[in-house]
Amino acid sequence: MSSGDAATRIEVSAAAGPFRVRANKRTSTYTVLWYDHDSNGALVEHEHPTQFRTQRSANKVMQRLMNQAESKRPRVRLCPNRNMFMLHVEVNGKPLRRSLGTRDPQEIPRRREIVMAKLGLGGDAGVLTVREMFADYYDHGLVDAAASTRQVFGRMIQRFRRYFTDDAPVSTITEDQLAIYQTRRLESVQPVSFGLEVSCWNAAVRYAISRKMLDPSKAPPLLVKPKRLHKERLLLTREDWSGILDEAHKFRRYVTHSPRLGSLELYLHLVRYTGGRASFYDQLQWSQVDLRNKLIDFQPTGVVASKRKRRPLVPIAKELLPVLERAYAEREPGDDYVLWERGSLIGERVTGFARRVLRSSESARMRELSPQLHSHAFRRAYITWGMSQGLSSWLIGQVTGNSPAVIEKYYATYRPDMGRSVVDSV
């Protein structure tokens, strides 16, 4: 069966998107994925039934589906013959074109609403919706962005769409609603992570205004990036790491009652002995872990390596090896990822665990860590521990994927007790 035959049987709605292609290294195939409404109206991820052998074939089908969704969305185009803006819209499955009667881009939002109302689609149908704003920004505003950027922004866009709902006019979103959204998000993510969502929201709003899809006077408020904690506010000790691991172990044993080593515990062991970014472990698959030669290759096969944030090849520490061997033995069919509990990023899992579990710990230190613990603190601690033991920043950088300059400027943090060996020796 050809990819074209498969594509003809797939119908997507005007709300479909964003679309993406996922590579499966185990089967050497590619799958087309997208978000769309199900029969109950919920926004869920859909998967094309065909597994494509080449990325080019998958991209072609993805483009066909994108074009199909785009053709069903109301859009405005300039008609060169009449030098007028035309509204293209689908009504009862039939494409219609209606003149907006203007060549002034500033008039588009108002005229579009009037024409949509005349077509019987209701006055509100002419107002830019949350789905329309983000779909246009993802499809056109991020068209030249790196694949990793589109993937990260795509996840944030789906979160915004689920929270504010697809059909809500963006002009009705208030500052209070955004404040509530921000408060809830900061319960599970750090300010620096939420700053990316702020960038995504603000960029989508500004892009809609620049494209004349949104009247500036009706634009929703912009988000403000929260203040970031100073890097010296939180420096974990080895005792802190052991205490957090113990709390995670107790939570699994006595709350979830799972005999299998959980993803949070696995992450704590991995980051303790490799010091990587949270994204290293979110995407780590067992095919990248060589237990026989005791090596972990954090660079996924077939993914273009980043020049700024290198993914290193790291030896497995003797303390980490039995943990990975146990996790490998406990894996179930279909568990390709080392962190097998999928659904939320490990950074969000760490922050949520700190806010909800550590704050009620019997340990005063764990309660103290609760409001500020985040995944990157473990990476900073790993680097600081190495520097305090006299290891070179170049060698630490080879393990963690950073340059010596970045390690010394941003990561290594001094604590007075680290200078004990100096003052006792001089």
Side-chain angles (χ1 to χ4, degrees):
M1 180 176 62
S2 69
S3 60
D5 292 336
T8 57
R9 293 211 298 266
I10 301 297
E11 286 291 331
V12 297
S13 72
F19 294 82
R20 63 188 177 93
V21 173
R22 181 182 65 194
N24 188 324
K25 294 188 295 182
R26 185 169 55 85
T27 60
S28 299
T29 58
Y30 297 86
T31 305
V32 178
L33 305 169
W34 68 95
Y35 284 87
D36 204 348
H37 292 293
D38 62 10
S39 57
N40 297 320
L43 193 66
V44 298
E45 189 173 46
H46 293 259
E47 180 176 322
H48 198 284
T50 302
Q51 303 296 311
F52 301 95
R53 295 184 178 179
T54 65
Q55 187 171 4
R56 183 179 180 183
S57 300
N59 286 339
K60 284 184 177 180
V61 172
M62 181 179 70
Q63 189 61 51
R64 290 194 189 103
L65 295 176
M66 290 173 62
N67 293 341
Q68 183 187 140
E70 184 67 26
S71 67
K72 296 180 179 180
R73 296 170 186 159
R75 58 201 182 281
V76 175
R77 291 179 178 173
L78 180 66
C79 179
N81 296 333
R82 302 177 59 186
N83 194 25
M84 289 280 186
F85 285 103
M86 304 286 292
L87 174 68
H88 296 244
V89 63
E90 186 175 287
V91 178
N92 297 327
K94 295 178 59 179
L96 299 177
R97 291 187 299 173
R98 293 292 185 270
S99 174
L100 297 184
T102 182
R103 56 179 62 90
D104 181 5
Q106 301 294 335
E107 281 288 304
I108 289 178
R110 187 177 67 85
R111 298 292 185 97
R112 182 176 184 267
E113 185 172 354
I114 294 173
V115 174
M116 291 285 283
K118 288 182 178 179
L119 290 172
L121 300 178
D124 289 341
V127 178
L128 186 69
T129 64
V130 170
R131 190 267 307 158
E132 291 172 333
M133 180 180 75
F134 280 116
D136 185 72
Y137 174 62
Y138 186 89
D139 293 341
H140 303 289
L142 294 174
V143 66
D144 295 324
S148 58
T149 301
R150 286 175 60 85
Q151 184 178 18
V152 171
F153 272 53
R155 288 197 297 264
M156 292 187 290
I157 285 172
Q158 294 310 316
R159 189 175 294 115
F160 280 124
R161 288 176 59 177
R162 285 193 296 268
Y163 183 84
F164 293 106
T165 71
D166 270 357
D167 298 327
V170 294
S171 59
T172 63
I173 297 176
T174 65
E175 191 169 344
D176 289 341
Q177 288 177 293
L178 290 172
I180 294 173
Y181 175 81
Q182 178 170 335
T183 300
R184 292 181 178 178
R185 288 295 294 149
L186 289 175
E187 292 177 354
S188 58
V189 299
Q190 282 295 309
V192 63
S193 299
F194 184 74
L196 287 176
E197 296 187 33
V198 172
S199 299
C200 179
W201 172 270
N202 293 349
V205 172
R206 290 175 176 139
Y207 189 74
I209 294 174
S210 68
R211 295 258 289 177
K212 310 301 180 184
M213 299 176 63
L214 181 61
D215 188 336
S217 64
K218 296 183 179 180
L222 298 178
L223 283 168
V224 179
K225 289 187 178 181
K227 293 183 179 180
R228 296 173 58 177
L229 295 174
H230 192 272
K231 69 174 185 178
E232 293 184 359
R233 287 283 299 277
L234 178 60
L235 179 57
L236 299 174
T237 65
R238 290 179 178 84
E239 291 73 23
D240 291 335
W241 172 82
S242 297
I244 296 168
L245 178 63
D246 184 57
E247 294 287 345
H249 175 73
K250 289 191 293 186
F251 181 80
R252 173 177 62 84
R253 289 290 303 275
Y254 303 118
V255 178
T256 65
H257 305 290
S258 173
R260 183 179 179 182
L261 200 63
S263 290
L264 180 59
E265 292 169 277
L266 274 171
Y267 164 75
L268 291 172
H269 282 288
L270 283 164
V271 75
R272 166 64 179 85
Y273 296 106
T274 58
R277 297 181 180 87
S279 58
F280 288 10
Y281 312 108
D282 277 318
Q283 302 168 20
L284 182 64
Q285 299 191 35
W286 283 113
S287 58
Q288 298 168 246
V289 180
D290 187 349
L291 294 175
R292 176 177 297 178
N293 296 312
K294 302 177 182 178
L295 291 171
I296 299 176
D297 187 356
F298 283 112
Q299 179 61 42
T301 304
V303 178
V304 178
S306 171
K307 295 180 180 179
R308 293 180 60 249
K309 297 184 176 181
R310 183 173 55 84
R311 291 174 177 260
L313 179 66
V314 181
I316 299 176
K318 60 181 181 180
E319 294 86 353
L320 178 60
L321 183 61
V323 177
L324 290 178
E325 289 176 338
R326 173 187 170 182
Y328 186 77
E330 290 180 339
R331 77 192 192 285
E332 297 179 355
D335 284 347
D336 297 329
Y337 290 91
V338 177
L339 301 187
W340 54 276
E341 294 172 304
R342 314 303 292 172
S344 61
L345 301 178
I346 192 61
E348 297 183 5
R349 195 184 293 269
V350 168
T351 306
F353 176 79
R355 303 299 186 273
R356 299 181 183 92
V357 178
L358 295 188
R359 69 179 181 182
S360 58
S361 171
E362 296 178 357
S363 166
R365 177 56 177 167
M366 294 298 104
R367 295 196 300 271
E368 180 186 352
L369 290 175
S370 172
Q372 52 183 328
L373 182 65
H374 54 91
S375 60
H376 219 59
F378 295 102
R379 177 173 171 82
R380 180 178 296 119
Y382 179 89
I383 292 173
T384 300
W385 298 342
M387 293 288 286
S388 67
Q389 290 181 350
L391 300 176
S392 71
S393 56
W394 176 85
L395 187 58
I396 296 173
Q398 297 306 304
V399 174
T400 59
N402 276 119
S403 67
V406 168
I407 285 176
E408 294 180 5
K409 183 176 181 180
Y410 296 107
Y411 281 99
T413 305
Y414 175 73
R415 198 175 59 236
D417 61 287
M418 295 177 181
R420 176 61 58 187
S421 60
V422 177
V423 299
D424 287 346
S425 301
V426 176

